[in-house]
Amino acid sequence: MVSGKLVKRLTNDQLTNDQIIEKMSRPKHTEYKTPTHIDDYPTGPQYEAGFLPEKNAGWRTFKPVVNHDECIYCLRCYLLCPDGTIMKDNGKIKIDMDYCKGCGVCAHECPKDAIEMVKE
Amino acid sequence: MTKVLDIPKVNAKNMTEKEFFYGHKACAGCGGSIAVRLALKVLGERTYSALPAGCMSAVGFIYPQMAFNSNAIITTFPGSASMAAGIAAGAKALGQKDFKTVVFAGDGGTADIGFQALSGMIDRNDDVLYICYDNEAYMNTGIQKSGLTPYGTKTTTTPAGQNIPGTITHKKNLFEIIAAHDIAYAATASIGYPQDFINKVNKAKHVKGATFIHVYASCPTGWGTPTETSVEIAKDAVDAGLIFLAEYEDGEYKLNRNPKEFKSVEEYLKKQGRFKHMSDADIQCVIENRDKKWERMRKNWL
């Protein structure tokens, strides 16, 4: 998670994809290192909240592509994405492709058909 | 009790942009994960989640990943409500005030296995919101019949054949069973109507005491539907009258949606692999049961 100060300093046009993900408070992909010492293991039966060593992008056969000219920013896709990969980005929607599973709910539910499922 | 007008409204535009259920391993198009994700977004960061064995605990806690971005724990299968009650009591003893304890249990974990703990929790009026995401069978273990599986469903324990049309019992009337405890707030919802579900979670968040939401969540894997139609199917179930949207508050039932005409039940059933085998007589049985229920609801709840 990122502090409020850092978010304030950066304007939206300067942000890279990673920074936008950080700003939206989505947990980021974390590299998993095989523990070599007993101290490397977490204290409880789990790692800390939002520890994500694996991406879900490999599940995908079709990927959603947004046509921003058609999009009316109704945020229905944002509400209904089962994985929460759709984020608001300065009046546009943006998709985190690392965790999109390509289920197609966003494209199917879009009232303007602004999202198209394209084969990877 | 907090008045409805005092509760700040939550919608897609103003809800928190933080994700509390992210990077999980649920099947593509999972309806249960939509329900959990939206509920956690409404409840906010200061939330303790308790999840019994079920899809959402299986996909969220795969070691070493941790898909929950707020406090979450896997509970025993029959004891999720009592563990949540303990969490609420522990947080209260620590002097915490701005928190909410929530349970996300499947239909089996609520209506069958976890029922006695849930009943006790409502009886003691512990400050816990219990959300049952209902995908109408034990999906996590490979589609076995539960108490909330509707008539005619093909599951691995009720296979459809020449002698029986799959499940031969009707869905348990969970909402009214819960309301009969004289609970402070109970509601039914569907992920096909997300704003309605958000409003109900938001309302339950501001109620002190035991609250219950029964949300209908589709399951593409168990139902034999394409992944992209999972929200559409959940909406169709409401439009066809097989699922109703209602609330129970202050001892009164309220029907939120009373359509003049229902959509075709047959169309809804034939979209799904689990109902494909059903004969016209079976479909008629489903329709008759629906009409009987709606007649009673319209008479008593309006």
Side-chain angles (χ1 to χ4, degrees):
Chain A
M1 227 160 272
V2 72
S3 71
K5 268 185 188 167
L6 180 65
V7 173
K8 239 183 181 173
R9 249 195 345 255
L10 298 162
T11 63
N12 271 314
D13 340 319
Q14 295 166 335
L15 296 181
T16 64
N17 190 28
D18 274 2
Q19 284 164 328
I20 286 170
I21 292 170
E22 210 169 58
K23 188 186 157 200
M24 292 307 170
S25 293
R26 279 168 168 72
K28 273 207 303 189
H29 171 73
T30 337
E31 211 60 56
Y32 179 68
K33 290 190 193 100
T34 314
T36 48
H37 189 265
I38 188 84
D39 286 348
D40 297 342
Y41 285 98
T43 329
Q46 278 293 345
Y47 280 85
E48 72 271 26
F51 184 82
L52 300 175
E54 264 178 53
K55 295 178 182 176
N56 296 339
W59 297 29
R60 214 163 48 221
T61 315
F62 295 93
K63 68 172 177 188
V65 176
V66 187
N67 179 355
H68 289 292
D69 297 334
E70 289 283 318
C71 176
I72 52 166
Y73 202 59
C74 67
L75 297 176
R76 189 164 168 83
C77 53
Y78 169 80
L79 266 192
L80 293 174
C81 176
D83 294 271
T85 56
I86 298 179
M87 53 191 116
K88 300 175 200 164
D89 170 29
N90 220 4
K92 280 182 182 173
I93 60 161
K94 195 177 169 71
I95 303 173
D96 178 7
M97 283 304 182
D98 282 351
Y99 288 97
C100 171
K101 290 169 187 159
C103 65
V105 167
C106 51
H108 193 77
E109 292 299 320
C110 181
K112 288 281 170 190
D113 290 330
I115 303 177
E116 199 188 348
M117 298 305 286
V118 179
K119 195 150 193 195
E120 283 273 0
Chain B
M1 208 173 125
T2 325
K3 277 188 192 141
V4 182
L5 292 171
D6 302 339
I7 302 172
K9 288 207 162 43
V10 176
N11 55 38
K13 293 246 177 340
N14 68 7
M15 79 196 317
T16 172
E17 281 162 25
K18 287 185 180 173
E19 293 293 339
F20 299 108
F21 191 44
Y22 197 70
H24 55 77
K25 303 283 179 194
C27 312
C30 173
S33 60
I34 299 178
V36 172
R37 177 183 159 248
L38 284 180
L40 283 175
K41 273 172 93 82
V42 176
L43 295 172
E45 200 166 22
R46 304 278 296 153
T47 305
Y48 297 102
S49 318
L51 298 98
C55 285
M56 290 307 121
S57 57
V59 302
F61 299 83
I62 299 171
Y63 186 88
Q65 73 140 3
M66 181 63 180
F68 282 88
N69 206 9
S70 54
N71 279 300
I73 188 172
I74 302 184
T75 70
T76 55
F77 210 158
S80 41
S82 31
M83 267 178 91
I87 292 169
K92 194 181 161 199
L94 288 171
Q96 297 183 8
K97 284 197 176 76
D98 56 337
F99 70 92
K100 191 78 191 174
T101 314
V102 60
V103 178
F104 295 106
D107 49 302
T110 306
D112 303 345
I113 298 173
F115 191 73
Q116 45 78 26
L118 170 61
S119 185
M121 183 202 91
I122 302 170
D123 181 37
R124 294 186 303 270
N125 203 21
D126 292 311
D127 188 13
V128 175
L129 164 59
Y130 195 107
I131 295 179
C132 164
Y133 62 91
D134 178 9
N135 46 28
E136 303 199 314
Y138 289 87
M139 294 307 182
N140 181 39
T141 44
I143 318 164
Q144 287 88 18
K145 183 207 172 292
S146 83
L148 290 180
T149 306
Y151 181 83
T153 314
K154 183 173 72 184
T155 69
T156 48
T157 46
T158 55
Q162 283 176 336
N163 296 322
I164 54 162
T167 307
I168 50 168
T169 52
H170 289 283
K171 214 172 155 79
K172 217 188 244 188
N173 199 346
L174 186 64
F175 174 62
E176 280 172 74
I177 296 171
I178 299 297
H181 287 76
D182 230 348
I183 190 169
Y185 179 74
T188 61
S190 163
I191 57 154
Y193 288 89
Q195 189 56 49
D196 176 72
F197 174 56
I198 289 171
N199 292 347
K200 283 168 177 168
V201 174
N202 193 29
K203 205 164 173 183
K205 181 186 175 184
H206 292 89
V207 173
K208 271 269 171 248
T211 46
F212 178 85
I213 294 175
H214 182 181
V215 55
Y216 185 71
S218 43
C219 170
T221 311
W223 294 8
T225 54
T227 56
E228 70 269 19
T229 59
S230 48
V231 175
E232 186 194 289
I233 293 271
K235 191 169 179 293
D236 282 355
V238 176
D239 293 343
L242 297 174
I243 298 293
F244 57 91
L245 304 181
E247 280 173 306
Y248 177 85
E249 211 179 351
D250 299 332
E252 294 280 335
Y253 288 99
K254 200 173 116 196
L255 201 52
N256 298 130
R257 204 181 151 75
N258 183 16
K260 283 208 176 73
E261 260 179 48
F262 294 120
K263 272 192 182 171
S264 160
V265 169
E266 192 176 352
E267 218 171 88
Y268 163 76
L269 296 175
K270 291 295 176 196
K271 270 184 194 169
Q272 305 173 46
R274 60 177 181 156
F275 294 125
K276 275 245 160 72
H277 59 276
M278 281 173 87
S279 66
D280 289 347
D282 294 331
I283 293 172
Q284 210 48 48
C285 177
V286 172
I287 293 173
E288 267 168 33
N289 191 56
R290 174 199 75 181
D291 290 344
K292 225 163 69 190
K293 194 173 170 62
W294 274 90
E295 199 186 323
R296 212 180 62 229
M297 286 196 300
R298 281 172 174 152
K299 204 170 114 194
N300 300 327
W301 296 5
L302 282 178

